[in-house]
Amino acid sequence: MDEAKDRFGDYLLGYNESEYFRGLFLYRGICGPKNYEEAAKCFLKVVKAGDGNVLIPGGLSDGDRSRYWRKFQSSARYHLGFMYYHGQGVSQNYAEAFKFLIQAAFGDCPEDVVSYLDNCDVEYNVECQMYHMPDAVYEALDLLGNAYRDGLGGVKQDYQDAICCYKRGTDSAHKSLGDMYRDGLSVAQDYSKAAENYKRAASSNADAMDSLADLYRNGQGVAKDPAEAMKWYMKAAQNGSADAKKKIMEMMGGFAGTGISPDSAQKEITG
């Protein structure tokens, strides 16, 4: 890699592309330690750059060439938004986070934001937006939903806009959407819809596993099923949920402190 860089310089990939990947490597700690501060600088260069120093695959029209580069910019904007949101390598700044996340999800067309949020039930086909990086769009919508839900970064708190973002975000965003249905935030309280969203998020989100277990334990939106509740509490605990571990002990009841494992406790519950 170093020899190739010496011989071909930044144009091995194209200067702007190399900055994007350098930022990604620094952010994730690939081939070296993580360095959020330097990663942020790289991503900012990508966001500000034009497409003049980009090695773009041949055979593309002028419009597609521009879209090719914007995919990199979309991802760089998402990373910057995430870093400002969490204060990684930069001072935490929700306003800056919101700005970059909007750009990641909708490009440089703010009217698209209004159109999207005003037509929440219309399918948002990210794949048709060639100038976006789909994963970055979905993940940006997760954080935008949080901003609208909590009124962060100077954004007016708006539960309906939060719901629109969560509906089109990643599976994990459905944990937040499930909470809104469970608690009746700007929507009619609906445990069935809460359960639907928790199930979708439970493939990768320990908190969703724990919340789904609560519903099975209490018979809210689903048939009461202690065995199913225990199953989801155990999955949540295995994925790092401290609350789930406490609830397993509660369900074990008189078995607590006797050395009986959660597996054995589940067998007792199922009878």
Side-chain angles (χ1 to χ4, degrees), residues 82-98:
F82 186 91
M83 295 171 82
Y84 274 110
Y85 191 93
H86 293 287
Q88 294 180 326
V90 292
S91 298
Q92 188 177 52
N93 187 321
Y94 290 125
E96 283 295 293
F98 190 74

Side-chain angles (χ1 to χ4, degrees), residues 23 55 62 67 94 98 120 148 161 168 179-182 192 205-206 213 230 234 239 251 258 261 263 270:
L55 287 183
D62 289 343
R67 293 186 185 101
Y94 290 125
F98 190 74
C120 178
Y148 281 119
D161 284 352
R168 300 293 179 257
D179 289 345
M180 297 183 80
Y181 279 115
R182 181 196 63 194
S192 293
N205 186 294
M230 176 63 87
M234 290 175 66
N239 283 275
M251 291 191 71
T258 65
S261 69
D263 284 340
T270 57

Side-chain angles (χ1 to χ4, degrees), residues 5 38 80 93 96 110 115 150 156 175 188 193 257:
K5 185 175 177 62
E38 288 301 313
L80 279 171
N93 187 321
E96 283 295 293
S115 175
D150 301 331
K156 182 179 178 181
K175 165 60 169 74
K193 287 186 177 180

Side-chain angles (χ1 to χ4, degrees), residues 25 29 56 58 84 89 114 119 166 176-177 199 205 211 215 244:
F25 279 32
I56 296 176
Y84 274 110
V114 177
N119 296 278
Y166 288 144
S176 299
L177 187 55
K199 287 177 181 178
N205 186 294
S211 295
L215 296 185

Side-chain angles (χ1 to χ4, degrees), residues 111-168:
E111 62 273 14
D112 287 353
V113 184
V114 177
S115 175
Y116 171 67
L117 294 178
D118 285 347
N119 296 278
C120 178
D121 294 325
V122 176
E123 184 65 26
Y124 179 45
N125 189 353
V126 175
E127 301 302 332
C128 290
Q129 307 296 326
M130 287 185 64
Y131 53 85
H132 295 317
M133 190 82 79
D135 288 346
V137 173
Y138 290 128
E139 292 169 1
L141 287 169
D142 291 2
L143 297 184
L144 287 174
N146 294 346
Y148 281 119
R149 181 194 64 196
D150 301 331
L152 302 174
V155 177
K156 182 179 178 181
Q157 188 177 52
D158 191 316
Y159 290 131
Q160 283 301 316
D161 284 352
I163 288 172
C164 285
C165 290
Y166 288 144
K167 279 185 175 180
R168 300 293 179 257

Side-chain angles (χ1 to χ4, degrees), residues 252-270:
M252 287 170 66
F255 303 115
T258 65
I260 296 178
S261 69
D263 284 340
S264 299
Q266 185 175 6
K267 289 178 181 177
E268 290 290 339
I269 291 172
T270 57

